[in-house]
Amino acid sequence: MQAVDIANILVLEVRPLPIKAAIFDLDGVIVDTAKYHYMAWRRLAEELGFVFTEKDNERLKGVSRMRSLEILLEVGGLSGRFTAEEMAAMAARKNEWYVQYISRMDESEILDGAVECLAGFRDLGVKTVLGSASKNAMLILNNLRLVPYFDVIIDGTRVTKAKPDPEVFLLGAKEAGVKPEESVVFEDAQAGIDAAKSAGMKAVAIGRPDELHGYDMIFRGLYEVKPREILEQD
Ligand code: BG6
Ligand code: MG
């Protein structure tokens, strides 16, 4: 009898905690904004006199604005050529263009299955959290009427450390009142998957298996995600 009890205790101890928060990246997971980031960075590269390809742009996904600029300059062979003030001015110019592009976005640019997925987690009593590096996240969420789908919103204005640092996800879980181990992150960028894992969270990749690694599960888009199955994966 005692042996059975001990066995039960052991089983309870090794069982992972249930998922209580679903944390979503924004760009590339909820909305199709990667193309606008790319258009704006490519325009800056053109001004600087080099070609910035879509393949180069993959390196910018999930990465902060200033780090993106550093990578862009590296691609153009221009690292270390500009002062901090010049870099800040270039990042600001890119952002002006980007904001012009995203201001024209409408609800058709919400990615397939995103709204259903957010609502589905809510229906199961799971907190929905935004964990985005973007300082433009509120503009996008407001324009596309997505704010009501989130219990907690953490964006690039709330954090100091960019992904792959886990700060954005840890703060999201904290504000949701949920432990990191009770959280699942949906991410399209390698930096975000790495951030989720170093936060001690479950990482669901959105993208292609040949482009991403280190995740727990992978789907092509949120349209393939069934919230109940994610919870049952524990
Ligand atoms: C991330 C994007 O969500 O936000 C990156 O994947 C982007 O490409 C970063 O650089 C910062 O965005 P923003 O809108 O603050 O320039
Ligand atoms: Mg992203």
Side-chain angles (χ1 to χ4, degrees), residues 133-151:
S134 175
K135 293 189 164 105
N136 295 300
M138 283 314 296
L139 175 70
I140 296 168
L141 294 182
N142 276 317
N143 282 357
L144 303 185
R145 300 177 208 286
L146 287 170
V147 176
Y149 289 94
F150 292 96
D151 296 306

PDB file of all heavy atoms in Angstrom, residues 133-151:
ATOM      1  N   ALA A 133       8.822  42.167 -29.340  1.00  0.00           N
ATOM      2  CA  ALA A 133       9.967  43.081 -29.283  1.00  0.00           C
ATOM      3  C   ALA A 133       9.617  44.444 -29.870  1.00  0.00           C
ATOM      4  O   ALA A 133      10.371  45.404 -29.712  1.00  0.00           O
ATOM      5  CB  ALA A 133      11.118  42.492 -30.086  1.00  0.00           C
ATOM      6  N   SER A 134       8.471  44.534 -30.537  1.00  0.00           N
ATOM      7  CA  SER A 134       8.161  45.746 -31.302  1.00  0.00           C
ATOM      8  C   SER A 134       7.661  46.894 -30.424  1.00  0.00           C
ATOM      9  O   SER A 134       6.794  46.705 -29.573  1.00  0.00           O
ATOM     10  CB  SER A 134       7.105  45.433 -32.355  1.00  0.00           C
ATOM     11  OG  SER A 134       6.729  46.623 -33.004  1.00  0.00           O
ATOM     12  N   LYS A 135       8.188  48.076 -30.739  1.00  0.00           N
ATOM     13  CA  LYS A 135       7.703  49.290 -30.069  1.00  0.00           C
ATOM     14  C   LYS A 135       6.439  49.797 -30.764  1.00  0.00           C
ATOM     15  O   LYS A 135       5.831  50.761 -30.316  1.00  0.00           O
ATOM     16  CB  LYS A 135       8.793  50.362 -30.090  1.00  0.00           C
ATOM     17  CG  LYS A 135      10.011  49.982 -29.243  1.00  0.00           C
ATOM     18  CD  LYS A 135      10.981  51.144 -29.111  1.00  0.00           C
ATOM     19  CE  LYS A 135      11.963  50.930 -27.986  1.00  0.00           C
ATOM     20  NZ  LYS A 135      13.294  50.572 -28.400  1.00  0.00           N
ATOM     21  N   ASN A 136       6.094  49.185 -31.885  1.00  0.00           N
ATOM     22  CA  ASN A 136       4.888  49.562 -32.628  1.00  0.00           C
ATOM     23  C   ASN A 136       3.721  48.614 -32.359  1.00  0.00           C
ATOM     24  O   ASN A 136       2.696  48.698 -33.040  1.00  0.00           O
ATOM     25  CB  ASN A 136       5.176  49.563 -34.130  1.00  0.00           C
ATOM     26  CG  ASN A 136       6.188  50.625 -34.513  1.00  0.00           C
ATOM     27  OD1 ASN A 136       5.960  51.810 -34.299  1.00  0.00           O
ATOM     28  ND2 ASN A 136       7.328  50.207 -35.055  1.00  0.00           N
ATOM     29  N   ALA A 137       3.874  47.723 -31.393  1.00  0.00           N
ATOM     30  CA  ALA A 137       2.858  46.683 -31.184  1.00  0.00           C
ATOM     31  C   ALA A 137       1.473  47.276 -30.890  1.00  0.00           C
ATOM     32  O   ALA A 137       0.470  46.823 -31.446  1.00  0.00           O
ATOM     33  CB  ALA A 137       3.282  45.752 -30.054  1.00  0.00           C
ATOM     34  N   MET A 138       1.415  48.318 -30.049  1.00  0.00           N
ATOM     35  CA  MET A 138       0.100  48.872 -29.691  1.00  0.00           C
ATOM     36  C   MET A 138      -0.586  49.492 -30.898  1.00  0.00           C
ATOM     37  O   MET A 138      -1.808  49.390 -31.046  1.00  0.00           O
ATOM     38  CB  MET A 138       0.223  49.907 -28.553  1.00  0.00           C
ATOM     39  CG  MET A 138       0.411  49.322 -27.193  1.00  0.00           C
ATOM     40  SD  MET A 138      -0.685  47.940 -26.751  1.00  0.00           S
ATOM     41  CE  MET A 138      -2.298  48.665 -26.763  1.00  0.00           C
ATOM     42  N   LEU A 139       0.202  50.126 -31.759  1.00  0.00           N
ATOM     43  CA  LEU A 139      -0.360  50.725 -32.973  1.00  0.00           C
ATOM     44  C   LEU A 139      -1.025  49.631 -33.826  1.00  0.00           C
ATOM     45  O   LEU A 139      -2.162  49.783 -34.297  1.00  0.00           O
ATOM     46  CB  LEU A 139       0.769  51.406 -33.764  1.00  0.00           C
ATOM     47  CG  LEU A 139       0.416  51.989 -35.112  1.00  0.00           C
ATOM     48  CD1 LEU A 139      -0.469  53.217 -34.948  1.00  0.00           C
ATOM     49  CD2 LEU A 139       1.684  52.372 -35.891  1.00  0.00           C
ATOM     50  N   ILE A 140      -0.318  48.523 -33.985  1.00  0.00           N
ATOM     51  CA  ILE A 140      -0.842  47.417 -34.800  1.00  0.00           C
ATOM     52  C   ILE A 140      -2.077  46.799 -34.133  1.00  0.00           C
ATOM     53  O   ILE A 140      -3.118  46.611 -34.765  1.00  0.00           O
ATOM     54  CB  ILE A 140       0.259  46.347 -35.019  1.00  0.00           C
ATOM     55  CG1 ILE A 140       1.412  46.946 -35.831  1.00  0.00           C
ATOM     56  CG2 ILE A 140      -0.300  45.109 -35.706  1.00  0.00           C
ATOM     57  CD1 ILE A 140       2.675  46.095 -35.879  1.00  0.00           C
ATOM     58  N   LEU A 141      -1.974  46.511 -32.848  1.00  0.00           N
ATOM     59  CA  LEU A 141      -3.109  45.874 -32.152  1.00  0.00           C
ATOM     60  C   LEU A 141      -4.336  46.771 -32.175  1.00  0.00           C
ATOM     61  O   LEU A 141      -5.457  46.298 -32.377  1.00  0.00           O
ATOM     62  CB  LEU A 141      -2.735  45.543 -30.705  1.00  0.00           C
ATOM     63  CG  LEU A 141      -1.654  44.487 -30.479  1.00  0.00           C
ATOM     64  CD1 LEU A 141      -1.451  44.245 -28.990  1.00  0.00           C
ATOM     65  CD2 LEU A 141      -1.994  43.175 -31.167  1.00  0.00           C
ATOM     66  N   ASN A 142      -4.116  48.082 -31.990  1.00  0.00           N
ATOM     67  CA  ASN A 142      -5.261  49.013 -32.018  1.00  0.00           C
ATOM     68  C   ASN A 142      -5.880  49.074 -33.406  1.00  0.00           C
ATOM     69  O   ASN A 142      -7.096  48.973 -33.552  1.00  0.00           O
ATOM     70  CB  ASN A 142      -4.831  50.423 -31.586  1.00  0.00           C
ATOM     71  CG  ASN A 142      -4.823  50.560 -30.078  1.00  0.00           C
ATOM     72  OD1 ASN A 142      -5.739  50.094 -29.393  1.00  0.00           O
ATOM     73  ND2 ASN A 142      -3.800  51.197 -29.543  1.00  0.00           N
ATOM     74  N   ASN A 143      -5.030  49.226 -34.432  1.00  0.00           N
ATOM     75  CA  ASN A 143      -5.554  49.337 -35.806  1.00  0.00           C
ATOM     76  C   ASN A 143      -6.344  48.101 -36.214  1.00  0.00           C
ATOM     77  O   ASN A 143      -7.308  48.204 -36.957  1.00  0.00           O
ATOM     78  CB  ASN A 143      -4.409  49.528 -36.814  1.00  0.00           C
ATOM     79  CG  ASN A 143      -3.905  50.948 -36.812  1.00  0.00           C
ATOM     80  OD1 ASN A 143      -4.434  51.800 -36.102  1.00  0.00           O
ATOM     81  ND2 ASN A 143      -2.864  51.204 -37.593  1.00  0.00           N
ATOM     82  N   LEU A 144      -5.888  46.952 -35.743  1.00  0.00           N
ATOM     83  CA  LEU A 144      -6.534  45.702 -36.164  1.00  0.00           C
ATOM     84  C   LEU A 144      -7.553  45.202 -35.125  1.00  0.00           C
ATOM     85  O   LEU A 144      -8.048  44.075 -35.234  1.00  0.00           O
ATOM     86  CB  LEU A 144      -5.478  44.630 -36.454  1.00  0.00           C
ATOM     87  CG  LEU A 144      -4.433  45.016 -37.513  1.00  0.00           C
ATOM     88  CD1 LEU A 144      -3.518  43.853 -37.822  1.00  0.00           C
ATOM     89  CD2 LEU A 144      -5.100  45.491 -38.803  1.00  0.00           C
ATOM     90  N   ARG A 145      -7.839  46.031 -34.131  1.00  0.00           N
ATOM     91  CA  ARG A 145      -8.841  45.716 -33.088  1.00  0.00           C
ATOM     92  C   ARG A 145      -8.544  44.394 -32.374  1.00  0.00           C
ATOM     93  O   ARG A 145      -9.431  43.579 -32.128  1.00  0.00           O
ATOM     94  CB  ARG A 145     -10.253  45.665 -33.691  1.00  0.00           C
ATOM     95  CG  ARG A 145     -10.696  46.960 -34.323  1.00  0.00           C
ATOM     96  CD  ARG A 145     -12.071  46.807 -34.947  1.00  0.00           C
ATOM     97  NE  ARG A 145     -12.252  47.707 -36.064  1.00  0.00           N
ATOM     98  CZ  ARG A 145     -12.441  49.017 -35.955  1.00  0.00           C
ATOM     99  NH1 ARG A 145     -12.486  49.590 -34.782  1.00  0.00           N
ATOM    100  NH2 ARG A 145     -12.585  49.759 -37.030  1.00  0.00           N
ATOM    101  N   LEU A 146      -7.268  44.198 -32.058  1.00  0.00           N
ATOM    102  CA  LEU A 146      -6.873  42.941 -31.409  1.00  0.00           C
ATOM    103  C   LEU A 146      -6.647  43.087 -29.904  1.00  0.00           C
ATOM    104  O   LEU A 146      -6.469  42.081 -29.214  1.00  0.00           O
ATOM    105  CB  LEU A 146      -5.596  42.393 -32.069  1.00  0.00           C
ATOM    106  CG  LEU A 146      -5.771  41.785 -33.460  1.00  0.00           C
ATOM    107  CD1 LEU A 146      -4.413  41.500 -34.099  1.00  0.00           C
ATOM    108  CD2 LEU A 146      -6.610  40.509 -33.418  1.00  0.00           C
ATOM    109  N   VAL A 147      -6.658  44.319 -29.414  1.00  0.00           N
ATOM    110  CA  VAL A 147      -6.349  44.542 -27.987  1.00  0.00           C
ATOM    111  C   VAL A 147      -7.231  43.684 -27.056  1.00  0.00           C
ATOM    112  O   VAL A 147      -6.723  43.065 -26.119  1.00  0.00           O
ATOM    113  CB  VAL A 147      -6.450  46.045 -27.616  1.00  0.00           C
ATOM    114  CG1 VAL A 147      -6.233  46.260 -26.125  1.00  0.00           C
ATOM    115  CG2 VAL A 147      -5.423  46.851 -28.415  1.00  0.00           C
ATOM    116  N   PRO A 148      -8.541  43.600 -27.311  1.00  0.00           N
ATOM    117  CA  PRO A 148      -9.390  42.852 -26.358  1.00  0.00           C
ATOM    118  C   PRO A 148      -9.074  41.361 -26.250  1.00  0.00           C
ATOM    119  O   PRO A 148      -9.548  40.703 -25.325  1.00  0.00           O
ATOM    120  CB  PRO A 148     -10.812  43.039 -26.917  1.00  0.00           C
ATOM    121  CG  PRO A 148     -10.732  44.190 -27.851  1.00  0.00           C
ATOM    122  CD  PRO A 148      -9.338  44.206 -28.385  1.00  0.00           C
ATOM    123  N   TYR A 149      -8.293  40.843 -27.173  1.00  0.00           N
ATOM    124  CA  TYR A 149      -7.983  39.407 -27.117  1.00  0.00           C
ATOM    125  C   TYR A 149      -6.854  39.078 -26.141  1.00  0.00           C
ATOM    126  O   TYR A 149      -6.557  37.906 -25.927  1.00  0.00           O
ATOM    127  CB  TYR A 149      -7.601  38.893 -28.513  1.00  0.00           C
ATOM    128  CG  TYR A 149      -8.790  38.845 -29.445  1.00  0.00           C
ATOM    129  CD1 TYR A 149      -9.064  39.911 -30.301  1.00  0.00           C
ATOM    130  CD2 TYR A 149      -9.652  37.754 -29.441  1.00  0.00           C
ATOM    131  CE1 TYR A 149     -10.175  39.879 -31.139  1.00  0.00           C
ATOM    132  CE2 TYR A 149     -10.753  37.713 -30.266  1.00  0.00           C
ATOM    133  CZ  TYR A 149     -11.009  38.775 -31.117  1.00  0.00           C
ATOM    134  OH  TYR A 149     -12.105  38.742 -31.937  1.00  0.00           O
ATOM    135  N   PHE A 150      -6.217  40.112 -25.563  1.00  0.00           N
ATOM    136  CA  PHE A 150      -5.079  39.867 -24.677  1.00  0.00           C
ATOM    137  C   PHE A 150      -5.369  40.265 -23.229  1.00  0.00           C
ATOM    138  O   PHE A 150      -5.921  41.338 -22.979  1.00  0.00           O
ATOM    139  CB  PHE A 150      -3.846  40.640 -25.171  1.00  0.00           C
ATOM    140  CG  PHE A 150      -3.325  40.111 -26.476  1.00  0.00           C
ATOM    141  CD1 PHE A 150      -3.691  40.697 -27.674  1.00  0.00           C
ATOM    142  CD2 PHE A 150      -2.491  38.992 -26.500  1.00  0.00           C
ATOM    143  CE1 PHE A 150      -3.233  40.197 -28.883  1.00  0.00           C
ATOM    144  CE2 PHE A 150      -2.030  38.489 -27.708  1.00  0.00           C
ATOM    145  CZ  PHE A 150      -2.399  39.084 -28.899  1.00  0.00           C
ATOM    146  N   ASP A 151      -4.952  39.400 -22.303  1.00  0.00           N
ATOM    147  CA  ASP A 151      -5.047  39.732 -20.875  1.00  0.00           C
ATOM    148  C   ASP A 151      -3.874  40.599 -20.457  1.00  0.00           C
ATOM    149  O   ASP A 151      -4.001  41.442 -19.579  1.00  0.00           O
ATOM    150  CB  ASP A 151      -5.050  38.445 -20.042  1.00  0.00           C
ATOM    151  CG  ASP A 151      -6.284  37.597 -20.337  1.00  0.00           C
ATOM    152  OD1 ASP A 151      -7.395  38.140 -20.231  1.00  0.00           O
ATOM    153  OD2 ASP A 151      -6.124  36.425 -20.702  1.00  0.00           O
TER     154      ASP A 151
END
